[in-house]
Amino acid sequence: MSENMNLEQILDWYITAGVDAVCGDEPWKKTPALDIEGKKPKELSVPRLATTQLAQATVSACQNARQICSQAETLDDLKKMVEGFEGCALRLTANKTVFGCGSAQADLLLIGEAPGADEDRSGVPFVGRSGHLLDKMLHAIHINREECFVTNILPWRPPGNRTPTDAEIAVCLPFLKRQIELVRPKIILVLGGSAANALLDNIEPISKLRGKWLDYTTTKGEKIPVLASFHPAYLLRNSAQKAKAWSDLLRVKQKLCEN
Ligand code: URA
């Protein structure tokens, strides 16, 4: 980037470089500059202070989210509360809050990771390319999307689809947990490693987690069978894994018929 570029050219340059979202109005320095003698400046303690403040802010945002959830008696209440929640900075860069949608009496609840660009525009989960594949997968086991409840770990799109941070997941998790409690599905199908790790609170790779029945315990102590499978976006890139995803879907169908 040259110093003589005007604002429009600078924006053009960013867009060409793949930057499609801004995270804040003020630029910030990631590493403090060294002084003339190459020594570390005193302001080095500032990032440490900022880290502590950030951790404290995360803890209080989590408490706030849990408190809000305990007051939500219906999905509609919860949706409004999530839309008004200010404890997660992702809300500032997202266009829409993407709350779960579908049947409030669903037997099957599906969980993805986070909204992408299409979902951020429409406010509805899984409407882009991954969503189309998900619809086809459900159709293959004779299930319509409308019969299910579809949601995500995060209700806001991380800028540029970056991986969500642990803090963002921790703050948003109470909203997902409350959606599960309100829907009370018979089965949960969790799509992709990040969503499975967040819901099941583990760090196992999806290759190890997928295909077997696990339990999710609600905050009220109820156990719900969970099956983890590959994320449709991953299947779009790795069609060789579709056979495994198909066997996961058949397990889901079988369990739904048993219950
Ligand atoms: N990927 C997800 O994990 N969720 C969506 O809603 C869309 C794409």
Side-chain angles (χ1 to χ4, degrees):
M1 190 172 17
S2 113
E3 280 179 9
N4 306 324
M5 288 163 92
N6 65 27
L7 194 56
E8 200 179 335
Q9 288 167 322
I10 293 172
L11 283 175
D12 243 16
W13 185 88
Y14 276 122
I15 290 165
T16 311
V19 177
D20 67 351
V22 286
C23 305
D25 291 335
E26 297 294 325
W28 75 90
K29 217 176 3 175
K30 265 193 165 172
T31 46
L34 299 179
D35 70 9
I36 287 169
E37 285 155 11
K39 290 189 195 130
K40 287 177 187 163
K42 285 210 178 88
E43 61 173 300
L44 210 76
S45 57
V46 172
R48 203 166 300 143
L49 178 64
T51 309
T52 311
Q53 284 169 342
L54 190 63
Q56 283 165 349
T58 302
V59 170
S60 83
C62 290
Q63 283 167 350
N64 193 3
R66 278 196 293 271
Q67 214 241 325
I68 282 174
C69 287
S70 67
Q71 291 165 3
E73 293 302 331
T74 64
L75 287 167
D76 281 346
D77 282 353
L78 185 61
K79 182 174 185 217
K80 284 192 198 105
M81 288 171 181
V82 176
E83 283 166 350
F85 182 70
E86 291 182 349
C88 180
L90 290 178
R91 180 173 176 269
L92 303 175
T93 50
N95 284 309
K96 295 249 169 86
T97 299
V98 182
F99 191 75
C101 84
S103 165
Q105 283 87 39
D107 286 344
L108 178 60
L109 185 143
L110 296 104
I111 305 172
E113 181 181 313
D118 295 308
E119 292 77 18
D120 182 53
R121 260 190 298 275
S122 65
V124 180
F126 280 104
V127 290
R129 281 187 72 217
S130 302
H132 286 141
L133 178 58
L134 183 62
D135 286 346
K136 281 197 207 161
M137 289 161 64
L138 291 172
H139 199 243
I141 51 167
H142 308 291
I143 292 179
N144 282 322
R145 152 94 76 119
E146 294 69 42
E147 301 167 38
C148 309
F149 191 83
V150 183
T151 189
N152 280 304
I153 299 286
L154 297 177
W156 297 288
R157 180 193 184 206
N161 293 348
R162 67 157 168 76
T163 306
T165 65
D166 289 348
E168 287 159 356
I169 291 174
V171 171
C172 296
L173 211 49
F175 300 132
L176 172 73
K177 292 184 170 180
R178 189 68 184 137
Q179 288 174 78
I180 296 173
E181 278 171 9
L182 291 169
V183 176
R184 299 189 69 217
K186 287 184 179 154
I187 291 172
I188 296 174
L189 175 60
V190 61
L191 301 165
S194 322
N197 293 154
L199 180 75
L200 300 165
D201 194 18
N202 64 27
I203 51 166
E204 292 281 305
I206 187 68
S207 54
K208 290 244 171 74
L209 283 175
R210 63 148 288 277
K212 49 188 181 226
W213 288 106
L214 303 162
D215 273 333
Y216 166 72
T217 308
T218 68
T219 47
K220 299 205 164 117
E222 281 179 292
K223 287 200 189 308
I224 303 178
V226 178
L227 194 102
S229 188
F230 294 122
H231 193 285
Y234 173 77
L235 294 173
L236 285 169
R237 297 189 305 268
N238 299 276
S239 52
Q241 302 288 12
K242 283 186 179 167
K244 286 182 184 155
W246 175 237
S247 80
D248 296 342
L249 284 175
L250 292 178
R251 278 198 178 90
V252 168
K253 181 71 182 175
Q254 191 183 8
K255 190 117 183 147
L256 281 172
C257 293
E258 278 168 16
N259 285 319

